[in-house]
Amino acid sequence: MNLSIPFTTTITTPLHWEDIVLQQKTLAEVGEIINWLKQKDSFEKKEIAKRLKPGYSVLFSGASGTGKTLTVTLIGKTANKPVLKIDLKRLLSKYIGETEKNLDKIFDEAVASDAILFFDEADALFGKRTEVKDAHDKYANQEVSYLLKKMESFAGVSIFAAGLKSNIDEAFIRRFTTRIYFPAPDSGDRLKIWKNLFVSLSLSKDIDIQDVAEKYEITPGVMTNALRFASIKMQEEKEKELTNSILIEAIKREIKN
């Protein structure tokens, strides 16, 4: 894949579906994307395909750390397709015309390499529109329109990640093939996630995983970062087991951050 395209990164993961905990509704909707990828070639030959827009555009919404990026990489891994991540915040150019040129390069590369496109920080473009007050506002709207046009003519899968869906203009939301919400995990889901994260660690008897899962309402991303800090702390203190004090210190550290 051509990595000279500005503001893009090819992303992969060593993890598998069993390593991520999603609510059943979210997982089922993600499964529809994978099914479409599997059936894409045969579907495009059917008569009905001529009446529909090509491709499959998706809006992932949910708080940071709820598994949006990992889900995209797992979709790519399952479908055996590269995933090209685009940083929309950095893509927006202050030079008129540059954003469109960069988008052309990105979509051309996706076609050439049969890649899944993943636009991160979609809030940067799809936020609720306000009155056009100057040339910058007018051009920002042109950039959005151009991206939507490219998205709707792209015959592959394009996924956009955003925070709260309520921050996205409803007119833009309707342009996506489907919208998938990634809720913060409940205590039961957090318990499953902690168990997944602890699978390769020896735990001290003073750790009550159930209590930790119920007490700390945090996202998988925060949990992973906490475990990373806790592992480093274990090495510093030459601990062979993860103790409750180290774990709680790590969690509180991440919450403050």
Side-chain angles (χ1 to χ4, degrees), residues 156-203:
V157 169
S158 53
I159 299 175
F160 294 72
L164 294 175
K165 182 181 173 184
S166 59
N167 290 339
I168 307 296
D169 192 295
E170 184 63 32
F172 300 143
I173 290 177
R174 291 195 296 268
R175 304 285 287 271
F176 291 94
T177 306
T178 190
R179 284 77 63 189
I180 300 177
Y181 176 56
F182 286 69
D186 58 23
S187 60
D189 287 337
R190 291 195 297 272
L191 179 60
K192 294 176 185 177
I193 295 166
W194 279 124
K195 287 181 177 179
N196 283 346
L197 291 173
F198 290 150
V199 70
S200 60
L201 281 176
S202 296
L203 303 183

Tab-separated table of all heavy atoms in Angstrom, residues 156-203:
chain	number	residue	atom	x	y	z
A	156	GLY	N	-16.358	0.258	-2.203
A	156	GLY	CA	-15.922	-0.571	-1.092
A	156	GLY	C	-16.577	-0.161	0.220
A	156	GLY	O	-17.641	0.453	0.240
A	157	VAL	N	-15.924	-0.508	1.332
A	157	VAL	CA	-16.418	-0.169	2.665
A	157	VAL	C	-15.664	1.038	3.198
A	157	VAL	O	-14.429	1.072	3.209
A	157	VAL	CB	-16.245	-1.355	3.636
A	157	VAL	CG1	-16.508	-0.916	5.076
A	157	VAL	CG2	-17.201	-2.483	3.265
A	158	SER	N	-16.414	2.047	3.623
A	158	SER	CA	-15.814	3.209	4.282
A	158	SER	C	-16.478	3.367	5.650
A	158	SER	O	-17.708	3.362	5.753
A	158	SER	CB	-16.001	4.481	3.451
A	158	SER	OG	-17.364	4.685	3.121
A	159	ILE	N	-15.662	3.472	6.678
A	159	ILE	CA	-16.159	3.554	8.049
A	159	ILE	C	-15.663	4.851	8.675
A	159	ILE	O	-14.480	5.186	8.586
A	159	ILE	CB	-15.683	2.343	8.877
A	159	ILE	CG1	-16.222	1.040	8.253
A	159	ILE	CG2	-16.159	2.461	10.326
A	159	ILE	CD1	-15.712	-0.222	8.914
A	160	PHE	N	-16.581	5.570	9.296
A	160	PHE	CA	-16.272	6.846	9.937
A	160	PHE	C	-16.527	6.719	11.436
A	160	PHE	O	-17.601	6.274	11.845
A	160	PHE	CB	-17.145	7.958	9.352
A	160	PHE	CG	-16.875	8.266	7.908
A	160	PHE	CD1	-17.264	7.383	6.910
A	160	PHE	CD2	-16.226	9.440	7.536
A	160	PHE	CE1	-17.017	7.652	5.567
A	160	PHE	CE2	-15.972	9.716	6.205
A	160	PHE	CZ	-16.367	8.823	5.219
A	161	ALA	N	-15.549	7.106	12.240
A	161	ALA	CA	-15.691	7.024	13.692
A	161	ALA	C	-15.910	8.412	14.280
A	161	ALA	O	-15.207	9.357	13.936
A	161	ALA	CB	-14.446	6.390	14.309
A	162	ALA	N	-16.896	8.518	15.135
A	162	ALA	CA	-17.207	9.796	15.774
A	162	ALA	C	-17.520	9.550	17.249
A	162	ALA	O	-17.703	8.403	17.683
A	162	ALA	CB	-18.393	10.466	15.084
A	163	GLY	N	-17.589	10.636	18.007
A	163	GLY	CA	-17.952	10.531	19.412
A	163	GLY	C	-19.456	10.378	19.548
A	163	GLY	O	-20.042	9.399	19.105
A	164	LEU	N	-20.103	11.369	20.119
A	164	LEU	CA	-21.548	11.317	20.289
A	164	LEU	C	-22.258	11.519	18.958
A	164	LEU	O	-21.954	12.453	18.220
A	164	LEU	CB	-22.001	12.386	21.278
A	164	LEU	CG	-21.526	12.217	22.730
A	164	LEU	CD1	-21.964	13.411	23.557
A	164	LEU	CD2	-22.080	10.938	23.331
A	165	LYS	N	-23.201	10.646	18.663
A	165	LYS	CA	-23.982	10.774	17.432
A	165	LYS	C	-24.744	12.095	17.412
A	165	LYS	O	-24.974	12.691	16.357
A	165	LYS	CB	-24.962	9.607	17.324
A	165	LYS	CG	-25.795	9.599	16.058
A	165	LYS	CD	-26.756	8.416	16.066
A	165	LYS	CE	-27.724	8.485	14.904
A	165	LYS	NZ	-28.725	7.395	14.942
A	166	SER	N	-25.116	12.580	18.602
A	166	SER	CA	-25.885	13.827	18.700
A	166	SER	C	-25.084	15.034	18.231
A	166	SER	O	-25.647	16.094	17.960
A	166	SER	CB	-26.363	14.047	20.135
A	166	SER	OG	-25.265	14.109	21.033
A	167	ASN	N	-23.758	14.874	18.141
A	167	ASN	CA	-22.909	15.973	17.667
A	167	ASN	C	-22.861	16.048	16.148
A	167	ASN	O	-22.313	16.997	15.586
A	167	ASN	CB	-21.477	15.803	18.195
A	167	ASN	CG	-21.389	16.041	19.693
A	167	ASN	OD1	-22.260	16.685	20.272
A	167	ASN	ND2	-20.364	15.505	20.314
A	168	ILE	N	-23.397	15.026	15.471
A	168	ILE	CA	-23.346	14.955	14.016
A	168	ILE	C	-24.632	15.521	13.426
A	168	ILE	O	-25.731	15.223	13.891
A	168	ILE	CB	-23.159	13.501	13.541
A	168	ILE	CG1	-21.940	12.860	14.233
A	168	ILE	CG2	-23.011	13.446	12.038
A	168	ILE	CD1	-20.629	13.497	13.897
A	169	ASP	N	-24.490	16.320	12.388
A	169	ASP	CA	-25.648	16.897	11.720
A	169	ASP	C	-26.511	15.780	11.132
A	169	ASP	O	-26.010	14.873	10.469
A	169	ASP	CB	-25.175	17.836	10.605
A	169	ASP	CG	-26.305	18.694	10.065
A	169	ASP	OD1	-27.235	18.123	9.474
A	169	ASP	OD2	-26.245	19.923	10.233
A	170	GLU	N	-27.814	15.838	11.382
A	170	GLU	CA	-28.735	14.794	10.939
A	170	GLU	C	-28.700	14.629	9.416
A	170	GLU	O	-28.864	13.516	8.887
A	170	GLU	CB	-30.159	15.124	11.392
A	170	GLU	CG	-31.176	14.048	11.072
A	170	GLU	CD	-30.900	12.726	11.774
A	170	GLU	OE1	-30.363	12.746	12.900
A	170	GLU	OE2	-31.209	11.681	11.174
A	171	ALA	N	-28.487	15.718	8.700
A	171	ALA	CA	-28.421	15.649	7.235
A	171	ALA	C	-27.269	14.765	6.776
A	171	ALA	O	-27.352	14.090	5.744
A	171	ALA	CB	-28.275	17.053	6.652
A	172	PHE	N	-26.177	14.766	7.549
A	172	PHE	CA	-25.036	13.919	7.212
A	172	PHE	C	-25.298	12.471	7.606
A	172	PHE	O	-24.928	11.539	6.881
A	172	PHE	CB	-23.767	14.427	7.903
A	172	PHE	CG	-23.380	15.820	7.524
A	172	PHE	CD1	-22.841	16.689	8.463
A	172	PHE	CD2	-23.556	16.279	6.230
A	172	PHE	CE1	-22.484	17.987	8.116
A	172	PHE	CE2	-23.203	17.568	5.869
A	172	PHE	CZ	-22.667	18.428	6.822
A	173	ILE	N	-25.923	12.264	8.746
A	173	ILE	CA	-26.184	10.913	9.241
A	173	ILE	C	-26.981	10.102	8.224
A	173	ILE	O	-26.740	8.920	8.008
A	173	ILE	CB	-26.919	10.972	10.597
A	173	ILE	CG1	-25.973	11.490	11.693
A	173	ILE	CG2	-27.457	9.596	10.988
A	173	ILE	CD1	-26.617	11.657	13.043
A	174	ARG	N	-27.940	10.765	7.574
A	174	ARG	CA	-28.795	10.072	6.612
A	174	ARG	C	-28.030	9.600	5.378
A	174	ARG	O	-28.535	8.764	4.614
A	174	ARG	CB	-29.950	10.982	6.185
A	174	ARG	CG	-30.955	11.248	7.286
A	174	ARG	CD	-32.231	11.843	6.710
A	174	ARG	NE	-32.015	13.155	6.099
A	174	ARG	CZ	-32.157	14.308	6.735
A	174	ARG	NH1	-32.500	14.318	8.015
A	174	ARG	NH2	-31.962	15.457	6.102
A	175	ARG	N	-26.842	10.105	5.151
A	175	ARG	CA	-26.070	9.747	3.958
A	175	ARG	C	-25.349	8.400	4.112
A	175	ARG	O	-24.855	7.843	3.129
A	175	ARG	CB	-25.041	10.840	3.639
A	175	ARG	CG	-25.634	12.233	3.456
A	175	ARG	CD	-26.337	12.411	2.137
A	175	ARG	NE	-25.420	12.502	1.021
A	175	ARG	CZ	-24.884	13.652	0.586
A	175	ARG	NH1	-25.184	14.801	1.190
A	175	ARG	NH2	-24.081	13.667	-0.458
A	176	PHE	N	-25.285	7.891	5.342
A	176	PHE	CA	-24.583	6.627	5.581
A	176	PHE	C	-25.510	5.434	5.332
A	176	PHE	O	-26.711	5.495	5.595
A	176	PHE	CB	-24.048	6.571	7.011
A	176	PHE	CG	-22.927	7.526	7.283
A	176	PHE	CD1	-23.171	8.778	7.820
A	176	PHE	CD2	-21.617	7.186	6.974
A	176	PHE	CE1	-22.146	9.674	8.057
A	176	PHE	CE2	-20.579	8.073	7.204
A	176	PHE	CZ	-20.840	9.316	7.742
A	177	THR	N	-24.926	4.337	4.865
A	177	THR	CA	-25.696	3.116	4.671
A	177	THR	C	-26.260	2.612	5.987
A	177	THR	O	-27.413	2.194	6.079
A	177	THR	CB	-24.815	2.009	4.042
A	177	THR	OG1	-24.223	2.499	2.841
A	177	THR	CG2	-25.629	0.763	3.745
A	178	THR	N	-25.442	2.662	7.021
A	178	THR	CA	-25.884	2.221	8.344
A	178	THR	C	-25.122	2.968	9.426
A	178	THR	O	-24.036	3.514	9.189
A	178	THR	CB	-25.691	0.700	8.502
A	178	THR	OG1	-26.329	0.259	9.702
A	178	THR	CG2	-24.207	0.334	8.585
A	179	ARG	N	-25.708	3.001	10.613
A	179	ARG	CA	-25.086	3.654	11.767
A	179	ARG	C	-25.000	2.637	12.903
A	179	ARG	O	-25.997	1.959	13.202
A	179	ARG	CB	-25.911	4.863	12.242
A	179	ARG	CG	-25.792	6.097	11.371
A	179	ARG	CD	-26.569	6.025	10.101
A	179	ARG	NE	-28.007	5.924	10.320
A	179	ARG	CZ	-28.889	5.671	9.363
A	179	ARG	NH1	-28.491	5.463	8.123
A	179	ARG	NH2	-30.182	5.598	9.634
A	180	ILE	N	-23.841	2.541	13.521
A	180	ILE	CA	-23.650	1.556	14.594
A	180	ILE	C	-23.132	2.266	15.844
A	180	ILE	O	-22.126	2.984	15.797
A	180	ILE	CB	-22.662	0.454	14.174
A	180	ILE	CG1	-23.190	-0.275	12.925
A	180	ILE	CG2	-22.455	-0.543	15.307
A	180	ILE	CD1	-22.258	-1.341	12.387
A	181	TYR	N	-23.823	2.040	16.945
A	181	TYR	CA	-23.471	2.686	18.210
A	181	TYR	C	-22.661	1.728	19.081
A	181	TYR	O	-23.008	0.555	19.237
A	181	TYR	CB	-24.741	3.108	18.944
A	181	TYR	CG	-24.496	3.705	20.316
A	181	TYR	CD1	-23.653	4.814	20.475
A	181	TYR	CD2	-25.107	3.170	21.442
A	181	TYR	CE1	-23.424	5.358	21.730
A	181	TYR	CE2	-24.892	3.721	22.697
A	181	TYR	CZ	-24.047	4.806	22.836
A	181	TYR	OH	-23.825	5.340	24.077
A	182	PHE	N	-21.573	2.240	19.653
A	182	PHE	CA	-20.719	1.477	20.559
A	182	PHE	C	-20.913	2.027	21.982
A	182	PHE	O	-20.283	3.013	22.361
A	182	PHE	CB	-19.251	1.596	20.151
A	182	PHE	CG	-18.888	0.806	18.933
A	182	PHE	CD1	-19.362	1.164	17.678
A	182	PHE	CD2	-18.073	-0.318	19.027
A	182	PHE	CE1	-19.036	0.434	16.546
A	182	PHE	CE2	-17.743	-1.064	17.898
A	182	PHE	CZ	-18.224	-0.679	16.661
A	183	PRO	N	-21.795	1.410	22.760
A	183	PRO	CA	-22.045	1.918	24.112
A	183	PRO	C	-20.900	1.582	25.061
A	183	PRO	O	-20.117	0.650	24.809
A	183	PRO	CB	-23.323	1.186	24.527
A	183	PRO	CG	-23.252	-0.111	23.775
A	183	PRO	CD	-22.609	0.218	22.447
A	184	ALA	N	-20.803	2.338	26.135
A	184	ALA	CA	-19.839	1.995	27.183
A	184	ALA	C	-20.284	0.675	27.812
A	184	ALA	O	-21.484	0.411	27.923
A	184	ALA	CB	-19.798	3.102	28.232
A	185	PRO	N	-19.353	-0.189	28.195
A	185	PRO	CA	-19.721	-1.502	28.730
A	185	PRO	C	-20.394	-1.404	30.089
A	185	PRO	O	-20.049	-0.537	30.897
A	185	PRO	CB	-18.377	-2.226	28.825
A	185	PRO	CG	-17.369	-1.129	28.988
A	185	PRO	CD	-17.890	0.010	28.159
A	186	ASP	N	-21.343	-2.300	30.351
A	186	ASP	CA	-21.936	-2.376	31.689
A	186	ASP	C	-21.023	-3.226	32.569
A	186	ASP	O	-19.975	-3.713	32.117
A	186	ASP	CB	-23.359	-2.940	31.624
A	186	ASP	CG	-23.428	-4.325	30.992
A	186	ASP	OD1	-22.406	-5.046	30.989
A	186	ASP	OD2	-24.509	-4.700	30.504
A	187	SER	N	-21.412	-3.444	33.807
A	187	SER	CA	-20.532	-4.154	34.755
A	187	SER	C	-20.251	-5.585	34.293
A	187	SER	O	-19.134	-6.095	34.462
A	187	SER	CB	-21.148	-4.164	36.159
A	187	SER	OG	-22.413	-4.815	36.152
A	188	GLY	N	-21.259	-6.230	33.687
A	188	GLY	CA	-21.054	-7.590	33.195
A	188	GLY	C	-20.044	-7.641	32.068
A	188	GLY	O	-19.175	-8.525	32.035
A	189	ASP	N	-20.151	-6.673	31.157
A	189	ASP	CA	-19.189	-6.604	30.058
A	189	ASP	C	-17.794	-6.266	30.575
A	189	ASP	O	-16.788	-6.801	30.085
A	189	ASP	CB	-19.621	-5.551	29.032
A	189	ASP	CG	-20.812	-6.015	28.203
A	189	ASP	OD1	-21.021	-7.230	28.104
A	189	ASP	OD2	-21.532	-5.152	27.669
A	190	ARG	N	-17.749	-5.348	31.550
A	190	ARG	CA	-16.431	-4.979	32.111
A	190	ARG	C	-15.763	-6.183	32.771
A	190	ARG	O	-14.542	-6.353	32.694
A	190	ARG	CB	-16.586	-3.827	33.110
A	190	ARG	CG	-16.978	-2.506	32.470
A	190	ARG	CD	-16.769	-1.335	33.418
A	190	ARG	NE	-17.607	-1.402	34.605
A	190	ARG	CZ	-18.845	-0.908	34.687
A	190	ARG	NH1	-19.396	-0.323	33.633
A	190	ARG	NH2	-19.540	-0.992	35.811
A	191	LEU	N	-16.561	-7.029	33.415
A	191	LEU	CA	-16.009	-8.238	34.039
A	191	LEU	C	-15.385	-9.145	32.978
A	191	LEU	O	-14.267	-9.655	33.158
A	191	LEU	CB	-17.109	-8.983	34.793
A	191	LEU	CG	-16.689	-10.284	35.491
A	191	LEU	CD1	-15.598	-10.014	36.520
A	191	LEU	CD2	-17.896	-10.957	36.145
A	192	LYS	N	-16.079	-9.321	31.844
A	192	LYS	CA	-15.541	-10.140	30.752
A	192	LYS	C	-14.248	-9.541	30.206
A	192	LYS	O	-13.291	-10.260	29.917
A	192	LYS	CB	-16.566	-10.245	29.624
A	192	LYS	CG	-17.828	-11.012	29.987
A	192	LYS	CD	-18.821	-10.972	28.830
A	192	LYS	CE	-20.141	-11.610	29.198
A	192	LYS	NZ	-21.138	-11.509	28.103
A	193	ILE	N	-14.233	-8.220	30.070
A	193	ILE	CA	-13.046	-7.550	29.522
A	193	ILE	C	-11.861	-7.704	30.465
A	193	ILE	O	-10.740	-8.010	30.040
A	193	ILE	CB	-13.339	-6.062	29.258
A	193	ILE	CG1	-14.405	-5.926	28.164
A	193	ILE	CG2	-12.067	-5.316	28.838
A	193	ILE	CD1	-15.013	-4.544	28.061
A	194	TRP	N	-12.099	-7.494	31.773
A	194	TRP	CA	-11.011	-7.656	32.745
A	194	TRP	C	-10.464	-9.081	32.696
A	194	TRP	O	-9.246	-9.294	32.727
A	194	TRP	CB	-11.489	-7.342	34.160
A	194	TRP	CG	-11.534	-5.887	34.516
A	194	TRP	CD1	-12.600	-5.178	34.968
A	194	TRP	CD2	-10.442	-4.949	34.473
A	194	TRP	NE1	-12.256	-3.869	35.194
A	194	TRP	CE2	-10.944	-3.698	34.906
A	194	TRP	CE3	-9.101	-5.039	34.099
A	194	TRP	CZ2	-10.151	-2.558	34.987
A	194	TRP	CZ3	-8.299	-3.900	34.178
A	194	TRP	CH2	-8.820	-2.678	34.613
A	195	LYS	N	-11.341	-10.066	32.605
A	195	LYS	CA	-10.890	-11.464	32.554
A	195	LYS	C	-10.054	-11.718	31.308
A	195	LYS	O	-9.053	-12.446	31.360
A	195	LYS	CB	-12.093	-12.404	32.608
A	195	LYS	CG	-12.743	-12.489	33.987
A	195	LYS	CD	-13.918	-13.464	33.990
A	195	LYS	CE	-14.511	-13.596	35.390
A	195	LYS	NZ	-15.668	-14.533	35.420
A	196	ASN	N	-10.455	-11.128	30.186
A	196	ASN	CA	-9.661	-11.257	28.957
A	196	ASN	C	-8.281	-10.638	29.124
A	196	ASN	O	-7.269	-11.193	28.692
A	196	ASN	CB	-10.374	-10.590	27.786
A	196	ASN	CG	-11.520	-11.410	27.222
A	196	ASN	OD1	-11.644	-12.589	27.530
A	196	ASN	ND2	-12.362	-10.787	26.417
A	197	LEU	N	-8.246	-9.468	29.760
A	197	LEU	CA	-6.980	-8.758	29.937
A	197	LEU	C	-6.062	-9.475	30.927
A	197	LEU	O	-4.832	-9.435	30.785
A	197	LEU	CB	-7.249	-7.332	30.424
A	197	LEU	CG	-7.916	-6.378	29.424
A	197	LEU	CD1	-8.280	-5.065	30.107
A	197	LEU	CD2	-6.992	-6.115	28.243
A	198	PHE	N	-6.652	-10.149	31.910
A	198	PHE	CA	-5.860	-10.794	32.950
A	198	PHE	C	-5.400	-12.203	32.578
A	198	PHE	O	-4.681	-12.835	33.350
A	198	PHE	CB	-6.669	-10.898	34.254
A	198	PHE	CG	-6.902	-9.579	34.945
A	198	PHE	CD1	-8.044	-9.381	35.705
A	198	PHE	CD2	-5.987	-8.542	34.840
A	198	PHE	CE1	-8.260	-8.174	36.356
A	198	PHE	CE2	-6.202	-7.332	35.482
A	198	PHE	CZ	-7.340	-7.144	36.245
A	199	VAL	N	-5.782	-12.684	31.393
A	199	VAL	CA	-5.566	-14.091	31.067
A	199	VAL	C	-4.093	-14.508	31.114
A	199	VAL	O	-3.778	-15.654	31.440
A	199	VAL	CB	-6.179	-14.413	29.675
A	199	VAL	CG1	-5.379	-13.758	28.554
A	199	VAL	CG2	-6.302	-15.916	29.473
A	200	SER	N	-3.183	-13.590	30.836
A	200	SER	CA	-1.758	-13.946	30.821
A	200	SER	C	-1.026	-13.471	32.070
A	200	SER	O	0.211	-13.521	32.124
A	200	SER	CB	-1.080	-13.351	29.578
A	200	SER	OG	-1.199	-11.940	29.584
A	201	LEU	N	-1.771	-13.036	33.086
A	201	LEU	CA	-1.157	-12.531	34.314
A	201	LEU	C	-1.511	-13.399	35.515
A	201	LEU	O	-2.597	-13.983	35.573
A	201	LEU	CB	-1.626	-11.094	34.606
A	201	LEU	CG	-0.978	-9.946	33.829
A	201	LEU	CD1	-1.657	-8.639	34.220
A	201	LEU	CD2	0.513	-9.864	34.108
A	202	SER	N	-0.593	-13.448	36.459
A	202	SER	CA	-0.886	-14.087	37.744
A	202	SER	C	-1.458	-13.017	38.660
A	202	SER	O	-0.874	-11.944	38.811
A	202	SER	CB	0.393	-14.669	38.363
A	202	SER	OG	0.901	-15.705	37.552
A	203	LEU	N	-2.609	-13.297	39.266
A	203	LEU	CA	-3.276	-12.311	40.115
A	203	LEU	C	-3.116	-12.653	41.591
A	203	LEU	O	-3.201	-13.818	41.990
A	203	LEU	CB	-4.772	-12.241	39.779
A	203	LEU	CG	-5.159	-11.928	38.330
A	203	LEU	CD1	-6.675	-11.842	38.222
A	203	LEU	CD2	-4.512	-10.640	37.867
